[in-house]
Amino acid sequence: MPYLPHTKRDIAQMLDAIGVASIDELVRVPAAVALRAKPEIVAALPESEIVRRFEEFAGSDRATTMASFLGAGAYRHYCPPAIMALAMRGEFLTSYTPYQAEVSQGYLQAIYEWQTYICLLTGLDIADASVYDGATALAEGAIMALAATNRKKILVSRAVHPNYRAVLKTYCDGLDVAIDEVPLLPGGMTDPQALRDALSRGSYAAVALQSPNFFGIVETVPEDVRDAFKRSGTVPIAVVAEALALAAFPTPASWGAQICVGEAQSFGVALAYGGPYVGFIACTSDHLRRIPGRLVGRTVDRNGKEAYVLTLQAREQHIRRERATSNICTNQAHCALIATIYLALMGASGLRNCAAQNVKRAHELVKRVSAIPGCRLQFEAPFFNEFVLNVGSSAADVLKALQKRGILGGLDLGRFYHEMSDCILMTATEMTTSKDIDALCAALQEVVRVPASL
Amino acid sequence: MYQPRSERIPLIFEQGQPGRANRYLPSDAQLSDYLPAENLRAELPLPESTELDVVRHYTRLSQRTFGIDTGFYPLGSCTMKYNPRVNDAVANLPGLRDLHPFAPDELSQGALRIMYELERSLASLFGMAAFSLNPAAGAHAELAALLIAKKYFSDRGELNRQTVIVPDTAHGTNPASASMAGFRVVSLKSDERGRVGVDTLRAVLGDDTAVCMMTNPNTLGLFEDHIAEIARAVHDAGGLMYYDGANANALMGIARPGDMGFDLMHLNLHKTFTIPHGGGGAGAGPLGVAEHLVEYLPTPVVRAIAKDGSTANEDSRTYWLDFDVPKSIGPMRSFWSNFAHIVRALAYLYANGLEGLTDVSRLAVLNANYVRVKVAPFLETPYPEICQHEFVASAQELKKQSGVRAVDIAKALLDRGFHAPTMYFPLIVPECLMIEPTETESKETLDQFIAALEDVVATAKRDPQQILDAPQRTVVARVDETRAARQPDLRWRAPAGVT
């Protein structure tokens, strides 16, 4: 059998030491709970055969060979090979949570660096060692605000990623917490008037706003809305689904966010059909005792030498049990490590340049596709690397037709916004080539119906 | 154990120079060419280092990190077994690694088939009707399961069921998850045999009982031999049984939570199914349910139909993600699963088959019992009976004799090249050391570990100060945790006057 070192002689010697005649005596269970049926599992395969099978599976994921304009919270970015060469080192990959600080100084330092990177990017005071992903980060951030305010309602913009809102609802259902949504302006941004009204009417624990929002639009928070946060005692939560944008736009802290939650998959983490990714939570120091998950701190050892350690564990489930700030135990440390190495390799100018390449490609794309008869840009507002294209008829049908021509044209927004069933969320990154754009435009010209009036 | 030089490694923020950037992308655009300047960030205070400097930095940090690849890791309840490299290789195939979560189902058939196959295999292996691969970790699955229970009782109009029962040996995530799902927690005292007593349980059961969460084998490494009666009692009271799968490595091919009467369960694929722990995650926590709870599983659900309408013929099936499940609790995360880990788990399943997985559990139990009997002569084992995949020892007596505590033993083991066992858990055993050798360790390694542990105990009796001063051979000595908590330093800040 693979991965099992025991020889017959080993087993005999070990049984002898234990004082039993066979392993059966060790694994005996009461008759009442014995196996009722033999599990049906595939027969064992040799390693060469395993690889062959997975190559076959991988080969039938034809989406990975096509030109793609999909984004919507999961982005294809360039990953320098140095990232994996480092992150896949066995010491990192096969280590457990660094509870034994003395033999985990390397990983602890890397996570301390991750926490610092997240603070520098968001402008906030502290960041945790990671949570599962962007959506659960929002749910955990909301729970922090519930605890901070002792209120039972959350306000969230309809321009926040629909999957994040859905997960927030799953979590809030358990806590009997109500969620209200802020509507959109016709221009695709969160309606500031409706937001102010809601804040003055209800007593909300938190308000969640995303920028760039789900439609790629850079949202700004006007002064009067910031005042409304303060007047209402509501905790503003910034949601980030495309972390690369943090390199381009003013920090969430700069518009008053007390908590910033988000997804850092863009920093070198593979698309991998949705996971594992890496969620982050940053906050002002007022919220220190409420932040969920692990925190790495810098301290000294017995001899006064600098050392890193997991700290403030009294917030966590293994110490505080039912009174913990969250149930999270396993987090996404390895993805956080990947993101940290990515940021170290890119550096300030590399990261900003990558952001600029995204903006450039997205603007080239929008110029080309919005010029196609029957297509138009749905929202005229500053955007980062994605935008909404109105194709004048069923987006689902147009996307299907593009698919037949070898192109993944983007996301059908009708899936999440019933009034946008003729709209596609299109994404371009630094990986989008001119050839991809040419192919998309040629195909769109064939498949989009031109209105009769033209 | 290889010990690299121990001087301070500067933080990445203290290295590099502005202008030392790497050229990974074309640089023919500026943000301000496309966006209004007032919308842009003024400064981005991140360091710039050459690729060589970054490679050296993280290589050196890795050398200060203990992993399964560097040594034996007898960490109880964590199942630190060998992580086969082939699993990483297949997870990294471009057709799996580069697949976008919103790729259409018909163009993602390979990925969907992998999810479906693993789901069906786990259901059969653990005796559940169905699994969801949605939860990202064990605790995440616990929360999902408790939300399911909540919805299930609410649908039945049993709004009074607000209590979750948790034994005092349970993992901390159990009560924490119960709170997060809005339940009240009742802790159950274990009996003198280290198990849940049926009478003790009956005393707390009632029409407020929602769920009883159990780990079996429990965290003392003991099989809950009254589990059938326990399940019956909970069911008679109208409650549901939850199986915490942290210790499933003892059970594969031997017994199934479904057969024991559990209605809900999770697995930690990062324990039982050899997914690398990666320094604390990512993991994967599939959630299994019995028939009456299937319709509540998180969305999306992976489904399959063959062209002829049946699900029988594997190669003619079509797979899809079903988001339209009216009674579902909803999604638990941004996207469908920790897919790269689902790939790894299925590769491991292929490598073993049922026979192999059965051997895994049998040999995990053999290894644990071997270490237990070898340790018993020099360290107390409070439950001296056949254990499952792990066992607990106690340094209580040693502490009385020498002042040396469990934590000191743990630190002294680090000096001898071994990772420490889990300490001070479960909470009911004083000076607890919880040891789980796993099945991938050879008898030689176990013998070396036993000898090292014996040496630590002998040294403690002879010269306790030596053990109290451990570790000495690691890059830092014992860390001041009190200072870390009292004066939190959770991030680097630029020295004043430097931008």
mmCIF file of all heavy atoms in Angstrom, chain A residues 6 24 40 45 61 74 89 95 100 107 112-113 120-121 133 170 174 272-273 305 322 349, chain B residues 6 41 48 58 62 95 97 99-100 124 150 179 278-279 331 334 362 367 411 475 489:
data_model
loop_
_atom_site.group_PDB
_atom_site.id
_atom_site.type_symbol
_atom_site.label_atom_id
_atom_site.label_comp_id
_atom_site.label_asym_id
_atom_site.label_seq_id
_atom_site.Cartn_x
_atom_site.Cartn_y
_atom_site.Cartn_z
ATOM 1 N N HIS A 6 4.954 -0.073 7.121
ATOM 2 C CA HIS A 6 5.014 -1.250 7.979
ATOM 3 C C HIS A 6 5.331 -2.541 7.224
ATOM 4 O O HIS A 6 4.614 -2.908 6.301
ATOM 5 C CB HIS A 6 3.683 -1.441 8.706
ATOM 6 C CG HIS A 6 3.309 -0.284 9.570
ATOM 7 N ND1 HIS A 6 2.943 0.929 9.057
ATOM 8 C CD2 HIS A 6 3.253 -0.162 10.923
ATOM 9 C CE1 HIS A 6 2.672 1.768 10.053
ATOM 10 N NE2 HIS A 6 2.852 1.123 11.189
ATOM 11 N N ASP A 24 -6.929 -6.658 14.541
ATOM 12 C CA ASP A 24 -8.377 -6.764 14.735
ATOM 13 C C ASP A 24 -8.783 -6.489 16.184
ATOM 14 O O ASP A 24 -9.816 -5.886 16.450
ATOM 15 C CB ASP A 24 -8.877 -8.172 14.352
ATOM 16 C CG ASP A 24 -8.742 -8.421 12.855
ATOM 17 O OD1 ASP A 24 -8.650 -7.414 12.108
ATOM 18 O OD2 ASP A 24 -8.713 -9.590 12.449
ATOM 19 N N GLU A 40 -18.449 1.586 -1.066
ATOM 20 C CA GLU A 40 -18.103 1.437 -2.483
ATOM 21 C C GLU A 40 -17.131 2.535 -2.884
ATOM 22 O O GLU A 40 -17.511 3.686 -3.043
ATOM 23 C CB GLU A 40 -19.365 1.528 -3.339
ATOM 24 C CG GLU A 40 -20.227 0.292 -3.233
ATOM 25 C CD GLU A 40 -21.591 0.512 -3.849
ATOM 26 O OE1 GLU A 40 -21.670 1.173 -4.899
ATOM 27 O OE2 GLU A 40 -22.565 0.025 -3.249
ATOM 28 N N LEU A 45 -5.285 2.656 -7.471
ATOM 29 C CA LEU A 45 -4.556 2.828 -8.733
ATOM 30 C C LEU A 45 -3.096 3.132 -8.436
ATOM 31 O O LEU A 45 -2.789 3.797 -7.447
ATOM 32 C CB LEU A 45 -5.128 4.026 -9.506
ATOM 33 C CG LEU A 45 -6.597 3.969 -9.943
ATOM 34 C CD1 LEU A 45 -7.009 5.316 -10.524
ATOM 35 C CD2 LEU A 45 -6.778 2.864 -10.970
ATOM 36 N N ASP A 61 -11.866 20.079 -18.978
ATOM 37 C CA ASP A 61 -12.236 21.443 -18.561
ATOM 38 C C ASP A 61 -11.868 22.391 -19.698
ATOM 39 O O ASP A 61 -10.911 23.148 -19.623
ATOM 40 C CB ASP A 61 -11.477 21.847 -17.285
ATOM 41 C CG ASP A 61 -11.991 21.114 -16.065
ATOM 42 O OD1 ASP A 61 -13.155 20.648 -16.091
ATOM 43 O OD2 ASP A 61 -11.242 21.016 -15.090
ATOM 44 N N ALA A 74 -13.104 36.700 -8.991
ATOM 45 C CA ALA A 74 -12.028 35.711 -9.161
ATOM 46 C C ALA A 74 -11.269 36.120 -10.418
ATOM 47 O O ALA A 74 -11.864 36.187 -11.487
ATOM 48 C CB ALA A 74 -12.594 34.309 -9.301
ATOM 49 N N ARG A 89 7.773 25.020 -0.865
ATOM 50 C CA ARG A 89 8.810 24.382 -0.032
ATOM 51 C C ARG A 89 8.120 23.602 1.080
ATOM 52 O O ARG A 89 7.190 24.088 1.724
ATOM 53 C CB ARG A 89 9.744 25.447 0.560
ATOM 54 C CG ARG A 89 10.711 26.040 -0.471
ATOM 55 C CD ARG A 89 11.632 27.047 0.171
ATOM 56 N NE ARG A 89 12.463 26.427 1.195
ATOM 57 C CZ ARG A 89 13.693 25.952 0.992
ATOM 58 N NH1 ARG A 89 14.240 26.058 -0.191
ATOM 59 N NH2 ARG A 89 14.368 25.396 1.972
ATOM 60 N N SER A 95 3.692 22.321 7.302
ATOM 61 C CA SER A 95 3.714 22.695 8.722
ATOM 62 C C SER A 95 2.292 22.862 9.230
ATOM 63 O O SER A 95 1.371 23.152 8.475
ATOM 64 C CB SER A 95 4.488 24.002 8.915
ATOM 65 O OG SER A 95 3.821 25.067 8.274
ATOM 66 N N GLN A 100 3.768 26.088 18.193
ATOM 67 C CA GLN A 100 5.093 25.949 18.825
ATOM 68 C C GLN A 100 6.005 27.006 18.204
ATOM 69 O O GLN A 100 6.721 26.769 17.231
ATOM 70 C CB GLN A 100 5.658 24.541 18.605
ATOM 71 C CG GLN A 100 4.878 23.448 19.326
ATOM 72 C CD GLN A 100 4.982 23.550 20.849
ATOM 73 O OE1 GLN A 100 5.942 24.119 21.381
ATOM 74 N NE2 GLN A 100 3.987 23.017 21.550
ATOM 75 N N TYR A 107 7.554 30.948 9.580
ATOM 76 C CA TYR A 107 6.164 31.123 9.130
ATOM 77 C C TYR A 107 5.509 32.271 9.881
ATOM 78 O O TYR A 107 4.772 33.080 9.319
ATOM 79 C CB TYR A 107 5.357 29.834 9.315
ATOM 80 C CG TYR A 107 4.367 29.578 8.199
ATOM 81 C CD1 TYR A 107 4.310 28.352 7.538
ATOM 82 C CD2 TYR A 107 3.490 30.575 7.768
ATOM 83 C CE1 TYR A 107 3.425 28.127 6.503
ATOM 84 C CE2 TYR A 107 2.592 30.355 6.735
ATOM 85 C CZ TYR A 107 2.556 29.130 6.103
ATOM 86 O OH TYR A 107 1.674 28.911 5.080
ATOM 87 N N TYR A 112 3.279 37.742 9.977
ATOM 88 C CA TYR A 112 3.401 39.122 10.481
ATOM 89 C C TYR A 112 3.584 40.084 9.306
ATOM 90 O O TYR A 112 3.023 41.180 9.282
ATOM 91 C CB TYR A 112 4.581 39.185 11.448
ATOM 92 C CG TYR A 112 4.829 40.514 12.115
ATOM 93 C CD1 TYR A 112 4.196 40.858 13.301
ATOM 94 C CD2 TYR A 112 5.728 41.428 11.561
ATOM 95 C CE1 TYR A 112 4.439 42.077 13.917
ATOM 96 C CE2 TYR A 112 5.987 42.643 12.166
ATOM 97 C CZ TYR A 112 5.335 42.969 13.344
ATOM 98 O OH TYR A 112 5.586 44.177 13.955
ATOM 99 N N GLU A 113 4.339 39.642 8.310
ATOM 100 C CA GLU A 113 4.515 40.466 7.104
ATOM 101 C C GLU A 113 3.200 40.597 6.337
ATOM 102 O O GLU A 113 2.864 41.671 5.831
ATOM 103 C CB GLU A 113 5.614 39.868 6.213
ATOM 104 C CG GLU A 113 6.993 39.971 6.854
ATOM 105 C CD GLU A 113 8.142 39.401 6.021
ATOM 106 O OE1 GLU A 113 7.864 38.771 4.967
ATOM 107 O OE2 GLU A 113 9.289 39.569 6.413
ATOM 108 N N LEU A 120 -0.970 48.139 5.325
ATOM 109 C CA LEU A 120 -0.448 49.192 4.441
ATOM 110 C C LEU A 120 -1.377 49.399 3.243
ATOM 111 O O LEU A 120 -1.573 50.516 2.784
ATOM 112 C CB LEU A 120 0.963 48.831 3.960
ATOM 113 C CG LEU A 120 2.040 48.804 5.049
ATOM 114 C CD1 LEU A 120 3.364 48.268 4.489
ATOM 115 C CD2 LEU A 120 2.248 50.193 5.654
ATOM 116 N N LEU A 121 -1.957 48.331 2.747
ATOM 117 C CA LEU A 121 -2.840 48.452 1.582
ATOM 118 C C LEU A 121 -4.182 49.089 1.941
ATOM 119 O O LEU A 121 -4.748 49.843 1.159
ATOM 120 C CB LEU A 121 -3.066 47.076 0.943
ATOM 121 C CG LEU A 121 -1.871 46.514 0.170
ATOM 122 C CD1 LEU A 121 -2.053 45.027 -0.117
ATOM 123 C CD2 LEU A 121 -1.671 47.288 -1.146
ATOM 124 N N ASP A 133 -12.377 33.410 2.892
ATOM 125 C CA ASP A 133 -12.426 34.096 1.599
ATOM 126 C C ASP A 133 -13.161 35.424 1.761
ATOM 127 O O ASP A 133 -13.520 35.806 2.890
ATOM 128 C CB ASP A 133 -13.088 33.205 0.520
ATOM 129 C CG ASP A 133 -14.530 32.853 0.854
ATOM 130 O OD1 ASP A 133 -15.106 33.439 1.801
ATOM 131 O OD2 ASP A 133 -15.091 31.981 0.159
ATOM 132 N N THR A 170 -26.698 33.840 4.909
ATOM 133 C CA THR A 170 -26.610 32.525 5.556
ATOM 134 C C THR A 170 -26.168 32.673 7.015
ATOM 135 O O THR A 170 -26.759 32.097 7.919
ATOM 136 C CB THR A 170 -25.600 31.626 4.813
ATOM 137 O OG1 THR A 170 -25.957 31.549 3.433
ATOM 138 C CG2 THR A 170 -25.575 30.220 5.397
ATOM 139 N N GLY A 174 -28.596 32.571 11.070
ATOM 140 C CA GLY A 174 -28.310 31.840 12.311
ATOM 141 C C GLY A 174 -28.393 32.727 13.538
ATOM 142 O O GLY A 174 -28.700 32.269 14.632
ATOM 143 N N ALA A 272 -8.316 28.013 -9.615
ATOM 144 C CA ALA A 272 -8.668 26.714 -9.031
ATOM 145 C C ALA A 272 -10.164 26.507 -8.796
ATOM 146 O O ALA A 272 -10.558 25.985 -7.757
ATOM 147 C CB ALA A 272 -7.879 26.485 -7.735
ATOM 148 N N TYR A 273 -10.971 26.933 -9.726
ATOM 149 C CA TYR A 273 -12.416 26.690 -9.681
ATOM 150 C C TYR A 273 -13.038 27.158 -8.362
ATOM 151 O O TYR A 273 -13.973 26.551 -7.854
ATOM 152 C CB TYR A 273 -12.701 25.195 -9.912
ATOM 153 C CG TYR A 273 -14.103 24.910 -10.429
ATOM 154 C CD1 TYR A 273 -14.675 25.668 -11.448
ATOM 155 C CD2 TYR A 273 -14.860 23.869 -9.904
ATOM 156 C CE1 TYR A 273 -15.949 25.418 -11.914
ATOM 157 C CE2 TYR A 273 -16.138 23.596 -10.375
ATOM 158 C CZ TYR A 273 -16.675 24.389 -11.378
ATOM 159 O OH TYR A 273 -17.944 24.125 -11.829
ATOM 160 N N LYS A 305 15.620 38.345 22.922
ATOM 161 C CA LYS A 305 15.784 38.371 21.467
ATOM 162 C C LYS A 305 14.418 38.477 20.793
ATOM 163 O O LYS A 305 13.448 37.867 21.256
ATOM 164 C CB LYS A 305 16.465 37.057 21.067
ATOM 165 C CG LYS A 305 16.872 36.976 19.633
ATOM 166 C CD LYS A 305 17.609 35.657 19.398
ATOM 167 C CE LYS A 305 17.807 35.418 17.925
ATOM 168 N NZ LYS A 305 18.315 34.078 17.665
ATOM 169 N N GLU A 322 -17.512 28.689 23.716
ATOM 170 C CA GLU A 322 -18.738 29.310 23.199
ATOM 171 C C GLU A 322 -18.736 30.840 23.275
ATOM 172 O O GLU A 322 -19.584 31.489 22.706
ATOM 173 C CB GLU A 322 -19.995 28.721 23.863
ATOM 174 C CG GLU A 322 -20.125 28.961 25.354
ATOM 175 C CD GLU A 322 -19.541 27.812 26.174
ATOM 176 O OE1 GLU A 322 -18.625 27.119 25.685
ATOM 177 O OE2 GLU A 322 -20.014 27.615 27.310
ATOM 178 N N SER A 349 6.046 49.681 -7.090
ATOM 179 C CA SER A 349 5.896 50.115 -8.483
ATOM 180 C C SER A 349 5.372 48.975 -9.344
ATOM 181 O O SER A 349 4.582 49.207 -10.267
ATOM 182 C CB SER A 349 7.208 50.676 -9.026
ATOM 183 O OG SER A 349 8.207 49.682 -8.935
ATOM 184 N N SER B 6 21.196 31.707 13.343
ATOM 185 C CA SER B 6 20.052 32.153 14.122
ATOM 186 C C SER B 6 19.960 33.666 14.275
ATOM 187 O O SER B 6 19.213 34.161 15.091
ATOM 188 C CB SER B 6 20.067 31.483 15.491
ATOM 189 O OG SER B 6 21.145 31.997 16.228
ATOM 190 N N ARG B 41 -4.853 56.861 -5.520
ATOM 191 C CA ARG B 41 -4.120 56.812 -4.264
ATOM 192 C C ARG B 41 -2.800 57.575 -4.420
ATOM 193 O O ARG B 41 -2.097 57.405 -5.422
ATOM 194 C CB ARG B 41 -3.860 55.335 -3.977
ATOM 195 C CG ARG B 41 -3.107 55.057 -2.744
ATOM 196 C CD ARG B 41 -3.054 53.557 -2.482
ATOM 197 N NE ARG B 41 -2.360 53.405 -1.220
ATOM 198 C CZ ARG B 41 -2.556 52.442 -0.343
ATOM 199 N NH1 ARG B 41 -3.414 51.486 -0.602
ATOM 200 N NH2 ARG B 41 -1.902 52.402 0.791
ATOM 201 N N GLU B 48 10.501 47.471 -2.201
ATOM 202 C CA GLU B 48 10.864 46.945 -3.510
ATOM 203 C C GLU B 48 12.182 46.192 -3.383
ATOM 204 O O GLU B 48 13.194 46.752 -2.968
ATOM 205 C CB GLU B 48 10.991 48.099 -4.515
ATOM 206 C CG GLU B 48 9.698 48.888 -4.600
ATOM 207 C CD GLU B 48 9.640 49.833 -5.786
ATOM 208 O OE1 GLU B 48 10.689 50.399 -6.150
ATOM 209 O OE2 GLU B 48 8.543 49.989 -6.345
ATOM 210 N N TYR B 58 12.471 34.402 1.770
ATOM 211 C CA TYR B 58 11.466 33.385 2.122
ATOM 212 C C TYR B 58 12.072 31.981 2.214
ATOM 213 O O TYR B 58 11.549 31.135 2.945
ATOM 214 C CB TYR B 58 10.247 33.473 1.185
ATOM 215 C CG TYR B 58 9.490 34.755 1.469
ATOM 216 C CD1 TYR B 58 9.637 35.872 0.651
ATOM 217 C CD2 TYR B 58 8.719 34.877 2.618
ATOM 218 C CE1 TYR B 58 8.996 37.070 0.948
ATOM 219 C CE2 TYR B 58 8.076 36.068 2.936
ATOM 220 C CZ TYR B 58 8.223 37.162 2.090
ATOM 221 O OH TYR B 58 7.608 38.342 2.411
ATOM 222 N N SER B 62 11.632 29.797 5.500
ATOM 223 C CA SER B 62 11.178 28.398 5.471
ATOM 224 C C SER B 62 12.098 27.529 6.319
ATOM 225 O O SER B 62 11.652 26.602 6.987
ATOM 226 C CB SER B 62 11.097 27.878 4.032
ATOM 227 O OG SER B 62 12.375 27.534 3.538
ATOM 228 N N GLY B 95 -5.515 22.500 -16.446
ATOM 229 C CA GLY B 95 -6.958 22.337 -16.641
ATOM 230 C C GLY B 95 -7.753 22.372 -15.333
ATOM 231 O O GLY B 95 -8.972 22.518 -15.356
ATOM 232 N N ARG B 97 -6.085 23.955 -12.281
ATOM 233 C CA ARG B 97 -5.573 25.142 -11.584
ATOM 234 C C ARG B 97 -6.150 26.441 -12.157
ATOM 235 O O ARG B 97 -6.421 27.382 -11.421
ATOM 236 C CB ARG B 97 -4.045 25.160 -11.709
ATOM 237 C CG ARG B 97 -3.347 26.267 -10.946
ATOM 238 C CD ARG B 97 -1.912 26.415 -11.427
ATOM 239 N NE ARG B 97 -1.847 26.741 -12.840
ATOM 240 C CZ ARG B 97 -0.817 26.451 -13.645
ATOM 241 N NH1 ARG B 97 0.226 25.815 -13.158
ATOM 242 N NH2 ARG B 97 -0.846 26.802 -14.915
ATOM 243 N N LEU B 99 -8.992 26.988 -13.861
ATOM 244 C CA LEU B 99 -10.426 27.018 -14.163
ATOM 245 C C LEU B 99 -11.131 28.102 -13.338
ATOM 246 O O LEU B 99 -11.002 28.148 -12.110
ATOM 247 C CB LEU B 99 -11.036 25.642 -13.866
ATOM 248 C CG LEU B 99 -12.490 25.447 -14.280
ATOM 249 C CD1 LEU B 99 -12.670 25.617 -15.787
ATOM 250 C CD2 LEU B 99 -12.985 24.065 -13.836
ATOM 251 N N HIS B 100 -11.870 28.961 -14.030
ATOM 252 C CA HIS B 100 -12.583 30.045 -13.359
ATOM 253 C C HIS B 100 -13.881 29.511 -12.740
ATOM 254 O O HIS B 100 -14.572 28.715 -13.362
ATOM 255 C CB HIS B 100 -12.911 31.153 -14.363
ATOM 256 C CG HIS B 100 -13.345 32.424 -13.704
ATOM 257 N ND1 HIS B 100 -14.608 32.587 -13.173
ATOM 258 C CD2 HIS B 100 -12.677 33.582 -13.457
ATOM 259 C CE1 HIS B 100 -14.688 33.809 -12.636
ATOM 260 N NE2 HIS B 100 -13.540 34.427 -12.801
ATOM 261 N N SER B 124 -20.335 7.083 0.775
ATOM 262 C CA SER B 124 -20.294 5.636 0.949
ATOM 263 C C SER B 124 -19.341 5.236 2.087
ATOM 264 O O SER B 124 -19.654 4.385 2.905
ATOM 265 C CB SER B 124 -19.860 5.005 -0.378
ATOM 266 O OG SER B 124 -19.868 3.618 -0.272
ATOM 267 N N LYS B 150 -30.894 24.203 12.644
ATOM 268 C CA LYS B 150 -31.774 25.311 13.012
ATOM 269 C C LYS B 150 -32.955 25.399 12.044
ATOM 270 O O LYS B 150 -34.110 25.536 12.437
ATOM 271 C CB LYS B 150 -30.965 26.603 12.988
ATOM 272 C CG LYS B 150 -31.688 27.746 13.612
ATOM 273 C CD LYS B 150 -30.724 28.849 14.018
ATOM 274 C CE LYS B 150 -31.476 29.766 14.971
ATOM 275 N NZ LYS B 150 -30.678 30.751 15.600
ATOM 276 N N SER B 179 -22.559 28.686 19.223
ATOM 277 C CA SER B 179 -22.881 30.087 19.524
ATOM 278 C C SER B 179 -23.112 30.883 18.256
ATOM 279 O O SER B 179 -24.015 31.696 18.176
ATOM 280 C CB SER B 179 -21.733 30.747 20.288
ATOM 281 O OG SER B 179 -21.683 30.258 21.585
ATOM 282 N N GLY B 278 -0.300 23.476 5.473
ATOM 283 C CA GLY B 278 0.128 24.794 4.977
ATOM 284 C C GLY B 278 0.297 25.850 6.052
ATOM 285 O O GLY B 278 0.053 27.018 5.797
ATOM 286 N N GLY B 279 0.674 25.456 7.261
ATOM 287 C CA GLY B 279 0.885 26.438 8.317
ATOM 288 C C GLY B 279 -0.407 26.914 8.949
ATOM 289 O O GLY B 279 -0.444 27.970 9.570
ATOM 290 N N PRO B 331 -25.420 29.546 0.464
ATOM 291 C CA PRO B 331 -23.977 29.299 0.340
ATOM 292 C C PRO B 331 -23.238 29.683 1.619
ATOM 293 O O PRO B 331 -23.669 30.562 2.351
ATOM 294 C CB PRO B 331 -23.566 30.212 -0.812
ATOM 295 C CG PRO B 331 -24.546 31.333 -0.764
ATOM 296 C CD PRO B 331 -25.846 30.750 -0.255
ATOM 297 N N SER B 334 -17.632 32.261 -0.846
ATOM 298 C CA SER B 334 -17.713 32.970 -2.126
ATOM 299 C C SER B 334 -17.984 32.002 -3.266
ATOM 300 O O SER B 334 -18.876 32.221 -4.083
ATOM 301 C CB SER B 334 -16.399 33.701 -2.428
ATOM 302 O OG SER B 334 -16.048 34.599 -1.412
ATOM 303 N N ARG B 362 -6.216 1.054 10.301
ATOM 304 C CA ARG B 362 -5.714 -0.040 11.159
ATOM 305 C C ARG B 362 -4.286 0.266 11.638
ATOM 306 O O ARG B 362 -3.955 0.061 12.805
ATOM 307 C CB ARG B 362 -5.753 -1.367 10.395
ATOM 308 C CG ARG B 362 -7.181 -1.889 10.163
ATOM 309 C CD ARG B 362 -7.199 -3.030 9.153
ATOM 310 N NE ARG B 362 -6.472 -4.205 9.603
ATOM 311 C CZ ARG B 362 -7.014 -5.199 10.321
ATOM 312 N NH1 ARG B 362 -8.287 -5.147 10.667
ATOM 313 N NH2 ARG B 362 -6.294 -6.238 10.681
ATOM 314 N N ASN B 367 -0.010 2.069 15.422
ATOM 315 C CA ASN B 367 1.075 2.976 15.808
ATOM 316 C C ASN B 367 0.776 3.668 17.133
ATOM 317 O O ASN B 367 1.655 3.788 17.992
ATOM 318 C CB ASN B 367 1.295 4.030 14.713
ATOM 319 C CG ASN B 367 2.241 3.535 13.624
ATOM 320 O OD1 ASN B 367 2.658 2.371 13.635
ATOM 321 N ND2 ASN B 367 2.575 4.408 12.685
ATOM 322 N N LYS B 411 8.735 21.509 24.925
ATOM 323 C CA LYS B 411 9.853 22.338 24.462
ATOM 324 C C LYS B 411 11.145 21.514 24.389
ATOM 325 O O LYS B 411 11.974 21.715 23.505
ATOM 326 C CB LYS B 411 10.056 23.544 25.390
ATOM 327 C CG LYS B 411 8.851 24.480 25.481
ATOM 328 C CD LYS B 411 8.399 25.047 24.144
ATOM 329 C CE LYS B 411 7.168 25.943 24.282
ATOM 330 N NZ LYS B 411 6.548 26.240 22.987
ATOM 331 N N VAL B 475 15.999 28.582 17.022
ATOM 332 C CA VAL B 475 16.509 29.924 16.701
ATOM 333 C C VAL B 475 16.151 30.958 17.761
ATOM 334 O O VAL B 475 16.833 31.962 17.904
ATOM 335 C CB VAL B 475 16.044 30.443 15.315
ATOM 336 C CG1 VAL B 475 16.713 29.682 14.199
ATOM 337 C CG2 VAL B 475 14.536 30.399 15.189
ATOM 338 N N ASP B 489 2.003 43.936 19.309
ATOM 339 C CA ASP B 489 2.779 44.482 18.183
ATOM 340 C C ASP B 489 2.440 43.567 17.013
ATOM 341 O O ASP B 489 3.037 42.510 16.848
ATOM 342 C CB ASP B 489 4.274 44.449 18.534
ATOM 343 C CG ASP B 489 5.157 44.754 17.323
ATOM 344 O OD1 ASP B 489 4.616 45.030 16.222
ATOM 345 O OD2 ASP B 489 6.394 44.707 17.472
#
